[in-house]
Amino acid sequence: MDRSAFASLVSPYRRRPWMTEHGAAAADSGQVGLKGIVAGGITGGIEICITYPTEYVKTQLQLDEKGAAKKYNGIFDCVKKTVGERGFLGLYRGLSVLVYGSIPKSAARFGAFEFLKSNAVDSRGQLSNSGKLLCGLGAGVCEAIVAVTPMETIKVKFINDQRSGNPKFRGFAHGVGQIIKSEGISGIYKGLTPTILKQGSNQAIRFFVLESLKDLYKGDDHTKPVPKLVVGVFGAIAGAASVFGNTPLDVVKTRMQGLEASKYKNTAHCAVEILKNEGPAAFYKGTVPRLGRVCLDVAITFMIYDSFMDLFNKVWV
């Protein structure tokens, strides 16, 4: 038996070349996903420090109910009263919660998207329209489970606590400890279902719009670079689309994660109660501050993320 024949017998990869190809693809997918995780984590930490005050105001307005309990008369009134009572840094109440959560959230989102995208592109490296939606959906579901639900629940409870006449949380560690002590681990996973729905639809819309606009800009030249400012504009458009698409889910999620969440049996009951007691307009509470925050957030996020990915692709081989 000659050497080549012997080699074909002892090396199964010679007889099944697709296994080698798939192995290479898997390795590439893993590396791309890892780059996405690192770049996404850095991006998340920078972005939240820039945009947090708008998130704070949005949450306060969404927690504000009608009647005697109503505390604020709009965005500027909320900012004025918060600064008057607690100073400018009052607008950053609860920031530590989001800093701790934004890094793993963004890392999970972009890592999942890059991994899914690398396995869904065609021979030209392009995603179909359905592929853009599904990869974005997968990224949103992943971040909802890994980071967003516990982070958002803790954040809302901290802000809600501040609204009470006698706040009981004395800091991040103390607050989280009190929540777990009184409600158990499940206490930081309130609103998981609406959060998955919100984040899944959020990222499906955002990545679909962003990737579609990038493809439109590139035209027939798929290697054409997209300037970072243009990426920022595309990100703002994608962010606006997601706000109008899923603010009702965001309102329900916020109510389900507040300190008074126990009065709702489940997500559907919460939605019905809001509709019955406050009307359809209540589902769009906080839209304006959320629109400003999200457009800025998504624009900054994609600009920073693209910059780090460009850098990693040059130095991380």
Side-chain angles (χ1 to χ4, degrees), residues 73-309:
N73 293 313
I75 301 168
F76 296 108
D77 184 52
C78 179
V79 172
K80 180 181 177 181
K81 287 180 178 176
T82 300
V83 173
E85 293 171 5
R86 301 181 179 276
F88 178 76
L89 293 180
L91 294 172
Y92 279 88
R93 174 83 172 184
L95 172 63
S96 60
V97 178
L98 287 198
V99 169
Y100 299 145
S102 286
I103 293 175
K105 176 187 77 170
S106 192
R109 175 198 307 166
F110 286 106
F113 181 79
E114 293 293 352
F115 178 80
L116 293 171
K117 178 181 177 181
S118 65
N119 284 282
V121 293
D122 59 23
S123 58
R124 299 175 302 156
Q126 301 299 299
L127 275 175
S128 64
N129 286 334
S130 61
K132 294 170 187 174
L133 282 170
L134 290 174
C135 289
L137 177 64
V141 171
C142 182
E143 71 174 0
I145 295 171
V146 171
V148 177
T149 300
M151 177 187 73
E152 288 285 305
T153 302
I154 293 169
K155 179 206 73 176
V156 171
K157 288 183 185 294
F158 264 70
I159 293 176
N160 218 170
D161 178 63
Q162 182 188 329
R163 292 164 59 88
S164 66
N166 184 28
K168 62 182 181 180
F169 299 155
R170 298 194 298 269
F172 177 76
H174 177 260
V176 173
Q178 289 295 106
I179 294 169
I180 293 176
K181 182 179 179 180
S182 61
E183 302 178 46
I185 294 296
S186 63
I188 61 173
Y189 263 91
K190 298 292 186 182
L192 178 60
T193 299
T195 302
I196 287 177
L197 291 173
K198 178 205 167 188
Q199 295 306 122
S201 59
N202 246 348
Q203 302 311 328
I205 293 170
R206 290 177 189 175
F207 279 109
F208 175 80
V209 172
L210 183 81
E211 293 292 321
S212 296
L213 289 173
K214 279 185 174 181
D215 288 345
L216 186 64
Y217 181 88
K218 293 178 180 179
D220 295 328
D221 183 4
H222 300 307
T223 62
K224 181 179 178 180
V226 183
K228 296 299 176 282
L229 286 177
V230 176
V231 171
V233 172
F234 290 167
I237 295 171
S242 69
V243 167
F244 289 114
N246 76 353
T247 289
L249 287 171
D250 191 44
V251 172
V252 174
K253 174 197 71 66
T254 299
R255 293 289 181 89
M256 287 291 290
Q257 292 172 328
L259 293 177
E260 298 180 359
S262 59
K263 68 182 181 181
Y264 303 120
K265 297 176 183 177
N266 50 44
T267 302
H269 179 250
C270 177
V272 170
E273 288 295 299
I274 292 172
L275 180 62
K276 183 171 66 176
N277 298 325
E278 302 174 56
F283 288 108
Y284 279 88
K285 279 189 173 182
T287 296
V288 175
R290 187 182 180 220
L291 186 65
R293 182 193 70 83
V294 169
C295 288
L296 180 63
D297 175 351
V298 180
I300 291 172
T301 295
F302 280 116
M303 288 174 68
I304 296 173
Y305 178 75
D306 270 23
S307 297
F308 276 109
M309 284 300 285

